[in-house]
Amino acid sequence: MSDPLECDVLIVGGGPAGLSVASHLASGISSIVVHQDAEIGRPVRTSGGSFLCDMQALDIPPDLYQVIDRLDFYSDNEQASFPIENDKMVVLDITGLYRYLAGLSDTLDRRLLLGRKFVSTEEQANGLYLSKVRSRSLGVQTIRSKYIIDASGWHSAVWESLNLGARPKRTGVGIEYEFPRGNFAKNRAVLFVGSTVLTGYGWIFPTANDRLRLGVGVINPDTDLTPRQVMNSFVQGGHAARYGIEIPKEYDVNAGIIPSVPYDPKLVYGKVIRTGDAANFASPTVGEGIRMAIEQGRHLGRDLSAFIAGDKTALQRYETRAAKAYARDYKYGYMMNRRIADYTPQRWDQAVRRLARLSEREVTQMLRSNFSARLILRTIYLSLKAKLLG
Ligand SMILES: Cc1cc2nc3c(=O)[nH]c(=O)nc-3n(C[C@H](O)[C@H](O)[C@H](O)COP(=O)(O)OP(=O)(O)OC[C@H]3O[C@@H](n4cnc5c(N)ncnc54)[C@H](O)[C@@H]3O)c2cc1C
């Protein structure tokens, strides 16, 4: 075997989290990003719904998203529509965005190893990590690094390899068909629930490049059905017309997996650090995780740089900041996630009726997994009222 490649920071996973760590390391710190896919941003494994204010705060160029200002919810027998004036949503151009994020570290001392899968790592007597990566063309290579970032998404590849924990047993699994938008409004998104997609939900998202993404996600093992089975019965049942879309014969298929487990605030294990989906940052209500992956990835890049420069509290800061951002809200979000995974179609009808009484702000806060005391009290009140009135 040839000599190991050397770097300060090995980043496993070239998704939004890993790429954002790489772009925010200080110049002078060398990094290698190991990415198992042959390209950045392909295949697409996510549907890209997010919020305009976050994309602006993260300085994401506007040509990488479609702005959404109307959101419709459907259950079997109910419908609720929200014109969105304040917390506008967006649908991201995933391939374009991830390539943009990769480009942000092009001028740094960063190598991108594509088509290479991280296999294992071990700590050596000198405190450095020796990791094995494998590719079809080159076989096994080794990389020696001082730090390792686990940004491998739900795979939690580094974490598992070092026996720090196991990859999540409960996951959200999704599949999406992508095809030309046709007459579907460019600024309208649909979320649907009920009998066609039990334990999860479905979505219709228009993209900035005039495509439409029709997807379904379910929770494993809460259902025995795979997303493909759910999608097949959705398509064969002729449900698409209800939402004003026609599914063509030819379409692209996107599919992915996301953790669906309680938030665990421990992220730093000496010189091994988790981020993005590998740290379970995605919201438990709707599984939105791209903005968190970028934001926390950038924080980690900066904090790790400060740590390397001698600030011994910097990594603790990364852990504390993330816990402050997510621990409380995700506790409520996860409780909600568990409850709604058991909903019957009738319960979903009730829920959409209740949703129709919420303000635009309350709905978007719920989708964002931001549970203020007021929002919690109001949903409890509406739920009790619905029970009392039958
Ligand atoms: C069906 C579905 C729909 C979603 N919809 C939305 C949405 O609308 N909005 C939103 O914000 N979020 C959504 N998400 C969640 C979002 O995709 C994730 O939160 C986000 O991608 C997390 O980024 P990440 O970089 O942590 O992980 P990932 O995007 O998963 O990137 C990790 C990368 O690491 C690579 N990798 C894994 N193991 C290894 C290994 N051993 N060696 C090398 N490379 C490896 C993988 O190939 C992967 O590309 C959705 C997820 C799914 C599954």
Side-chain angles (χ1 to χ4, degrees):
M1 204 181 292
S2 51
D3 286 345
L5 301 173
E6 308 269 348
C7 63
D8 294 316
V9 185
L10 171 63
I11 300 171
V12 176
L19 296 170
S20 300
V21 177
S23 65
H24 283 65
L25 287 172
S27 61
I29 298 178
S30 60
S31 69
I32 296 180
V33 179
V34 174
H35 189 51
Q36 66 183 7
D37 301 329
E39 287 177 66
I40 291 293
R42 294 203 72 83
V44 173
R45 298 201 173 90
T46 176
S47 49
S50 196
F51 291 88
L52 182 59
C53 58
D54 300 292
M55 291 305 117
Q56 288 172 335
L58 293 168
D59 257 335
I60 303 301
D63 60 326
L64 293 176
Y65 49 78
Q66 169 66 45
V67 177
I68 301 294
D69 56 19
R70 179 178 158 193
L71 178 62
D72 294 341
F73 286 90
Y74 285 84
S75 60
D76 287 15
N77 301 298
E78 299 289 340
Q79 182 189 345
S81 275
F82 295 89
I84 312 177
E85 292 193 358
N86 300 309
D87 291 338
K88 287 202 171 67
M89 296 175 63
V90 294
V91 177
L92 300 164
D93 162 3
I94 295 299
T95 306
L97 172 67
Y98 290 11
R99 288 181 183 168
Y100 165 79
L101 295 174
L104 295 180
S105 51
D106 276 350
T107 54
L108 297 174
D109 185 0
R110 180 274 287 146
R111 288 182 68 179
L112 202 50
L113 301 185
L114 298 175
R116 244 132 329 163
K117 181 173 179 163
F118 165 93
V119 183
S120 63
T121 191
E122 58 186 43
E123 191 178 2
Q124 299 182 297
N126 56 9
L128 301 179
Y129 284 89
L130 192 65
S131 305
K132 284 187 184 158
V133 301
R134 195 174 49 219
S135 71
R136 282 212 182 124
S137 53
L138 297 168
V140 173
Q141 286 177 290
T142 52
I143 302 176
R144 191 157 38 221
S145 66
K146 294 180 189 145
Y147 299 87
I148 310 188
I149 306 300
D150 193 344
S152 64
W154 74 278
H155 298 263
S156 297
V158 181
W159 208 48
E160 203 169 63
S161 152
L162 287 168
N163 289 321
L164 297 170
R167 66 172 62 165
K169 300 269 180 293
R170 186 170 184 266
T171 53
V173 284
I175 192 167
E176 199 178 59
Y177 292 176
E178 191 178 319
F179 44 86
R181 179 169 58 83
N183 292 328
F184 193 90
K186 213 179 160 116
N187 59 336
R188 171 190 174 214
V190 172
L191 297 178
F192 58 94
V193 289
S195 57
T196 50
V197 62
L198 279 179
T199 83
Y201 70 97
W203 59 88
I204 303 167
F205 286 170
T207 72
N209 50 354
D210 279 336
R211 312 265 297 163
L212 204 59
R213 298 194 186 132
L214 164 66
V216 295
V218 292
I219 305 270
N220 256 338
D222 299 25
T223 175
D224 295 335
L225 294 174
T226 64
R228 194 172 277 279
Q229 288 169 318
V230 174
M231 189 61 121
N232 283 345
S233 64
F234 178 85
V235 172
Q236 282 152 16
H239 300 287
R242 184 168 176 225
Y243 310 118
I245 54 168
E246 196 179 321
I247 304 173
K249 287 207 168 62
E250 306 271 313
Y251 42 76
D252 294 339
V253 178
N254 310 325
I257 299 180
I258 187 173
S260 190
V261 290
Y263 181 72
D264 169 4
K266 182 146 179 66
L267 309 175
V268 182
Y269 299 80
K271 293 177 175 177
V272 178
I273 308 149
R274 302 193 283 154
T275 197
D277 274 7
N280 200 12
F281 286 158
S283 74
T285 40
V286 290
E288 186 210 350
I290 297 168
R291 66 184 160 96
M292 295 78 166
I294 300 172
E295 188 180 356
Q296 297 302 328
R298 289 179 179 182
H299 282 311
L300 177 54
R302 286 193 207 97
D303 289 338
L304 180 55
S305 304
F307 186 83
I308 292 172
D311 176 354
K312 292 301 165 207
T313 60
L315 287 178
Q316 184 63 50
R317 234 176 9 248
Y318 163 70
E319 206 171 61
T320 311
R321 189 192 298 104
K324 208 167 159 199
Y326 309 128
R328 176 191 168 279
D329 280 344
Y330 283 17
K331 195 171 105 193
Y332 292 113
Y334 187 69
M335 275 159 52
M336 187 168 158
N337 168 307
R338 294 296 308 215
R339 272 182 68 139
I340 62 183
D342 290 336
Y343 270 20
T344 59
Q346 294 73 27
R347 281 299 295 274
W348 272 121
D349 280 340
Q350 282 175 5
V352 172
R353 271 201 299 277
R354 254 180 275 149
L355 213 55
R357 299 201 173 135
L358 296 180
S359 66
E360 168 208 321
R361 174 109 187 117
E362 286 165 335
V363 170
T364 50
Q365 290 304 301
M366 198 177 288
L367 292 178
R368 290 169 67 83
S369 277
N370 284 353
F371 291 96
S372 64
R374 187 177 180 283
L375 179 59
I376 293 169
L377 287 173
R378 193 142 151 72
T379 43
I380 292 173
Y381 164 73
L382 287 172
S383 162
L384 285 174
K385 195 169 157 191
K387 269 188 196 148
L388 289 173
L389 297 178

